[in-house]
Amino acid sequence: MRAWTLGLLALCSAAGAEPATLRSPDGRIAVEIATDQAGTPTYSVSFRDRALISPSSLGLLFERYQTLSSGMAMQAGTPRSGEDRYRLIGKASEARDSYRELIVAFAETEGQRRRFDVILRAYDDGIAIRYRIPVQPNLRQLRLAGELTQFRPATDYVCHGLNLGRTDTSHEGEFDPVRISQVRPMHLFDLPLVCAAGEDG
């Protein structure tokens, strides 16, 4: 509990100047959230102190090409831990998945001073990112057009993926090898896209 408290105090007192780090319950996965020189929120991911995802932008795109991404500062961070429970059919009746969570508030430093929250979760086997837009005077109505969430791999991973090329398919086919550097914006890869990050990745 002490580490969580110190991390929260450092984040609040620095008013967004220092990155905040969230670790999975077993400590192997770490997610760092910060802002870049343009004031754009970013996140990065490491596993056993080896970088997996390099600093990647976070943000939202609304209709009429309005964005909520750059020119922001970190305002506050709220940590907590929890556990998801799922009912199963089989030998075990329930599965449990522990996590640690950090909610970081961002606000524009000029203009309309709009805000959003980034909710990070770190599990022992992965991470999750969610956006939340609190009630505020300058965002009473909005229509989301897309995300500006980036995934910037730390190296040119060898992956396997199903490049459908079209949306009107049966979503069945072979998962072919492809390097991250060979993926292009026009490709339509189905999920999952599985990449090898190393012997212990």
Side-chain angles (χ1 to χ4, degrees), residues 11-84:
L11 180 59
C12 292
S13 63
E18 297 295 327
T21 301
L22 173 68
R23 287 193 174 271
S24 58
D26 64 9
R28 296 186 303 170
I29 297 176
V31 188
E32 183 178 275
I33 188 163
T35 52
D36 63 15
Q37 293 181 346
T40 301
T42 66
Y43 77 99
S44 57
V45 183
S46 62
F47 179 76
R48 292 181 176 172
D49 297 322
R50 188 180 75 244
L52 295 181
I53 301 293
S54 297
S56 303
S57 299
L58 296 167
L60 297 172
L61 173 66
F62 305 122
E63 284 190 346
R64 299 180 182 176
Y65 302 101
Q66 296 184 41
T67 63
L68 187 53
S69 182
S70 60
M72 308 191 81
M74 295 168 66
Q75 299 294 304
T78 306
R80 75 181 186 97
S81 58
E83 184 179 73
D84 290 334

Side-chain angles (χ1 to χ4, degrees), residues 102-177:
L102 182 64
I103 302 175
V104 183
F106 290 90
E108 292 176 315
T109 57
E110 298 179 354
Q112 295 180 312
R113 301 187 183 275
R114 299 169 301 171
R115 298 175 288 122
F116 70 41
D117 299 334
V118 176
I119 304 173
L120 297 173
R121 280 191 183 183
Y123 296 84
D124 288 342
D125 56 359
I127 70 159
I129 301 173
R130 192 173 94 182
Y131 295 97
R132 181 174 68 189
I133 301 177
V135 176
Q136 52 195 290
N138 292 322
L139 269 181
R140 293 184 179 277
Q141 294 183 346
L142 58 89
R143 288 192 176 185
L144 188 65
E147 288 188 29
L148 302 175
T149 311
Q150 289 184 338
F151 299 89
R152 298 182 58 198
T155 189
D156 192 11
Y157 298 125
V158 176
C159 306
H160 280 78
L162 173 59
N163 183 13
L164 295 169
R166 302 170 15 197
T167 56
D168 57 339
T169 72
S170 61
H171 295 271
E172 296 179 352
E174 297 289 335
F175 277 67
D176 298 320

